[in-house]
Amino acid sequence: MSNSTLLAPFAGSDWRLVGWWTPLLMVGIWFLVRLVTPPHSPHNTSEVRALPGPSRPWFGWLLGNMAQLADHRETLIHPDWFQWGWTGMYESLFAQKRIYTFDPAAVVYIFAHPDEFERPRDLRTILGHIMGSDSLVVNEGEKHRRMRRALNPAFSAGAIKDMLPAIYEKAGELVGLFERLIDDDGLEGYAAHPPAPEDRVRGARKIDVFKFAGNLTTDVIGVAGFEHDFNSLSPEDDSPELLANRFNRLVDAANGMVLLTEAQNILPVLDKIPTQSRRVIGEVRGQMERLSDVGTDAGAKDLLSLLVKGNTATKGDQHLSNDEVRAQMASLLFAGSTTTAATISFILFELAKLPEWQEKLRAEVLASDECPPFEVINALPLLDAVIRETLRLHPPASCTCRAATKDMVLPLSKSIPLKDGRVIDALPVRKGSYFFISMVCLNRLKEIWGDDAEDFNPARHADPALPRMQVPGVWGNVSSFISGPHACIGYRLAILEIKVVLYTLLRSFEFDLLPSKPDIQHFSSLATQPQVKGELGGQMPLLVRKLRGTE
Ligand code: HEM
């Protein structure tokens, strides 16, 4: 998850959740802020104030540069801004000054030192509403270390390997569901938004692969996490109450909180306003927490049982309370489902755009048996490379942010010519400086990946000369799971799920772009979702047909 939602405040929001009164409130807050704060933030060194960056537009006193950013959800950096370099300055709401960076050395340092750069209050507030204030994602310092120690064994390589049979079973259910969707005209409305006339193709079906990948990833965390089957892969069980369906509403609701969350940096009391977004978020969180109340049995190997078992063996102040254990399960459900589903969807999209890669990958998976063991599926080189390349270009958490907890000097890979003529090789910052870190920009740097860095080319991962610089990441030379003590704890599970789903689907189906060629975009919210331009909500509609010989 990321706080990219904080940078795209208006685009794609459901205004019923935001409230008509929000703009008025914002203007009111601005006047209040101007009364109580000086025009320049006290948190900045002279070097930070002289960083290059975009100029403030005429309405910048209220929106900063946010309106310029709202239409660039893919990178969340305005394309024109690349001229300012890898580290620069922009303004957020009420002209709050922020540093953006995708300089590899700066980002490696920031992620490696969470005591010097912690998740800022606005990010923790919004994540706390969704996952609970006791969740791993929301905490810092000693409390975070204690929780991470308790959770680590449940995410070890051995524990994840044990989940393989459950993941194969769910992938098999997905295959069965796609077959039904293709065969049964009565399920057309369930498969995706109604198809355009040209998208009705004999023997094929428009299927929203993001929806069903999301149902699968929710189910996998249910089964692998606490031995609870949500049964989200059955048309008969489809209802608005289904957790997988409610996640989509949750993301919309979180967007609805964006303006207020930003304003809370200045007036924390705004967090008490009871908005409709907060009500929706509270309901979904309650549902996630109730689900993780289920009991555990001694021999079980699911995440909750492993966590409870490890926790029972732990004594004194290392022990997690029951509320803390429950909050972790809610975070895993939220953090692990949409992110993994978006990755599966973008992979299928890239393979539909570039059928030659789809064919090569299908040849690789067809050369092995059905449901191969962990060691075999994990060692398939093209499967691995396709996932790396998609996570590089489409990281589901496209950015994050951190705030400096003390005055310090940040290392840089590249010197910065300041606006006042000085050139610096390291950036002195003050306690409180706010950093917006773009993983998607870092992943696409030509200096790391070569001139074709914007293109989908899985072959690059076989080149020993790449990457050309150290990348802050725990897997695949990409920064999509970040690095350091706060790196994604679930990355092994995510990669295994993605491998199994792709392996299984490509053996049974072909994926094509729809003949109507809808404009697929990234919507960067708490997690980046695929969207169709002009339509609300996350979706990735593709044309799916059974593989010849399997009909
Ligand atoms: C492709 C899939 C995924 C991606 C790209 C991803 C990405 C990330 C990123 C970038 C962070 C760091 C956020 C920050 O500190 O700003 C993170 C943290 C986290 N992720 Fe993932 N994630 C994925 C899947 C999963 C899965 C499957 C789970 C668990 C079932 C999970 C659980 C978590 C948790 C608990 C944290 C907080 C870690 C901490 O603060 O110590 N994620 N993830």
Side-chain angles (χ1 to χ4, degrees):
M1 86 268 13
S2 82
N3 85 326
S4 25
T5 183
L6 303 178
L7 270 183
F10 314 110
S13 293
D14 181 342
W15 285 94
R16 283 163 305 174
L17 292 167
V18 176
W20 59 267
W21 41 266
T22 305
L24 288 180
L25 182 72
M26 301 274 297
V27 175
I29 296 169
W30 182 81
F31 280 111
L32 209 62
V33 167
R34 274 289 168 263
L35 281 179
V36 296
T37 59
H40 291 295
S41 160
H43 293 313
N44 291 316
T45 56
S46 69
E47 288 85 352
V48 168
R49 284 202 298 277
L51 280 174
S55 54
R56 186 198 287 182
W58 66 269
F59 47 83
W61 55 271
L62 182 63
L63 300 179
N65 299 109
M66 304 296 272
Q68 297 168 328
L69 291 171
D71 281 339
H72 299 281
R73 294 181 230 139
E74 181 165 348
T75 55
L76 288 170
I77 298 272
H78 195 289
D80 292 349
W81 292 18
F82 281 98
Q83 64 180 296
W84 306 115
W86 293 359
T87 303
M89 159 89 86
Y90 71 100
E91 289 185 359
S92 173
L93 294 190
F94 309 124
Q96 298 172 76
K97 299 213 179 316
R98 295 194 165 173
I99 303 163
Y100 73 80
T101 187
F102 39 91
D103 178 302
V107 179
V108 166
Y109 187 92
I110 291 173
F111 289 154
H113 297 88
D115 288 340
E116 289 172 45
F117 291 95
E118 63 180 24
R119 286 180 266 224
R121 186 173 57 205
D122 54 1
L123 179 59
R124 282 192 275 151
T125 303
I126 200 160
L127 294 176
H129 284 310
I130 295 171
M131 301 181 221
S133 54
D134 278 331
S135 116
L136 178 71
V137 193
V138 175
N139 284 284
E140 294 289 341
E142 190 43 45
K143 189 167 177 189
H144 176 270
R145 280 190 280 276
R146 182 168 57 85
M147 291 177 164
R148 185 97 192 193
R149 267 196 298 273
L151 275 168
N152 272 340
F155 286 95
S156 67
I160 298 303
K161 193 173 155 183
D162 286 340
M163 293 172 193
L164 186 61
I167 305 177
Y168 272 129
E169 196 173 321
K170 280 291 160 191
E173 274 180 40
L174 187 64
V175 169
L177 176 62
F178 277 15
E179 283 170 349
R180 273 185 72 186
L181 297 181
I182 294 168
D183 291 340
D184 187 345
D185 286 342
L187 292 174
E188 186 182 83
Y190 172 71
H193 288 196
E198 64 267 45
D199 294 337
R200 291 210 160 87
V201 176
R202 230 177 116 82
R205 174 79 67 210
K206 173 184 176 184
I207 295 183
D208 176 1
V209 296
F210 178 62
K211 166 176 168 175
F212 297 108
N215 292 9
L216 175 134
T217 53
T218 309
D219 273 12
V220 167
I221 299 178
V223 176
F226 29 98
E227 290 204 320
H228 176 88
D229 196 341
F230 294 120
N231 279 322
S232 319
L233 291 167
S234 153
E236 285 71 30
D237 290 328
D238 190 39
S239 86
E241 295 306 305
L242 199 69
L243 192 59
N245 288 344
R246 300 191 86 185
F247 275 141
N248 287 336
R249 181 128 176 84
L250 180 73
V251 172
D252 281 347
N255 283 336
M257 288 180 67
V258 165
L259 295 179
L260 276 184
T261 311
E262 275 284 296
Q264 278 163 27
N265 278 329
I266 296 168
L267 285 182
V269 65
L270 293 174
D271 188 33
K272 304 291 171 228
I273 294 182
T275 58
Q276 201 188 343
S277 304
R278 286 194 59 182
R279 190 181 55 72
V280 172
I281 287 173
E283 279 172 16
V284 182
R285 202 180 99 207
Q287 193 181 359
M288 290 193 285
E289 288 182 353
R290 278 193 300 282
L291 286 165
S292 53
D293 261 346
V294 291
T296 58
D297 81 65
K301 287 187 167 176
D302 60 281
L303 298 175
L304 183 63
S305 303
L306 292 173
L307 178 58
V308 170
K309 232 181 283 171
N311 194 40
T312 318
T314 316
K315 295 274 172 312
D317 58 2
Q318 297 301 308
H319 194 83
L320 300 192
S321 69
N322 285 348
D323 279 352
E324 285 175 341
V325 170
R326 246 187 359 193
Q328 306 320 319
M329 299 321 288
S331 2
L332 300 184
L333 266 170
F334 183 76
S337 51
T338 312
T339 44
T340 313
T343 309
I344 294 171
S345 308
F346 279 115
I347 294 175
L348 293 174
F349 177 58
E350 290 291 354
L351 295 178
K353 271 199 303 190
L354 298 163
E356 61 280 15
W357 281 114
Q358 187 175 158
E359 274 319 304
K360 281 185 200 168
L361 185 54
R362 184 169 292 110
E364 182 176 273
V365 302
L366 284 173
S368 295
D369 297 336
E370 207 182 339
C371 304
F374 179 83
E375 291 68 20
V376 174
I377 194 164
N378 207 32
L380 294 177
L382 188 53
L383 186 59
D384 199 77
V386 163
I387 298 172
R388 287 175 186 223
E389 187 63 351
T390 309
L391 276 169
R392 187 182 70 79
L393 287 173
H394 310 282
S398 57
C399 57
T400 187
C401 47
R402 294 293 188 264
T405 59
K406 60 178 194 184
D407 295 0
M408 55 89 56
V409 179
L410 184 66
L412 298 168
S413 330
K414 202 162 143 173
S415 52
I416 307 176
L418 297 178
K419 284 193 285 197
D420 59 13
R422 285 179 289 165
V423 177
I424 51 169
D425 296 321
L427 180 66
V429 297
R430 294 254 161 80
K431 177 177 175 176
S433 291
Y434 192 111
F435 282 80
F436 169 72
I437 300 161
S438 172
M439 282 88 87
V440 65
C441 292
L442 200 156
N443 279 349
R444 294 176 181 211
L445 283 181
K446 289 188 169 60
E447 289 80 355
I448 295 181
W449 294 107
D451 286 345
D452 68 344
E454 291 285 336
D455 301 340
F456 181 84
N457 175 18
R460 77 175 79 244
H461 296 279
D463 181 346
L466 297 177
R468 290 184 192 141
M469 297 171 78
Q470 188 195 351
V471 172
V474 283
W475 185 84
N477 289 324
V478 292
S479 59
S480 312
F481 296 107
I482 72 165
S483 55
H486 285 62
C488 177
I489 200 168
Y491 80 93
R492 290 193 185 92
L493 175 59
I495 299 300
L496 186 60
E497 269 183 83
I498 299 167
K499 285 190 172 174
V500 168
V501 170
L502 278 185
Y503 188 93
T504 315
L505 287 181
L506 288 174
R507 290 168 69 90
S508 300
F509 304 101
E510 279 173 21
F511 296 86
D512 282 313
L513 297 178
L514 289 170
S516 63
K517 299 274 183 309
D519 189 355
I520 303 286
Q521 301 187 326
H522 295 73
F523 180 72
S524 276
S525 171
L526 282 179
T528 299
Q529 295 183 328
Q531 273 195 356
V532 172
K533 188 174 181 186
E535 296 179 17
L536 266 184
Q539 54 172 318
M540 175 65 85
L542 294 177
L543 197 65
V544 187
R545 55 164 63 82
K546 291 182 198 169
L547 197 60
R548 266 177 288 277
T550 63
E551 316 89 317

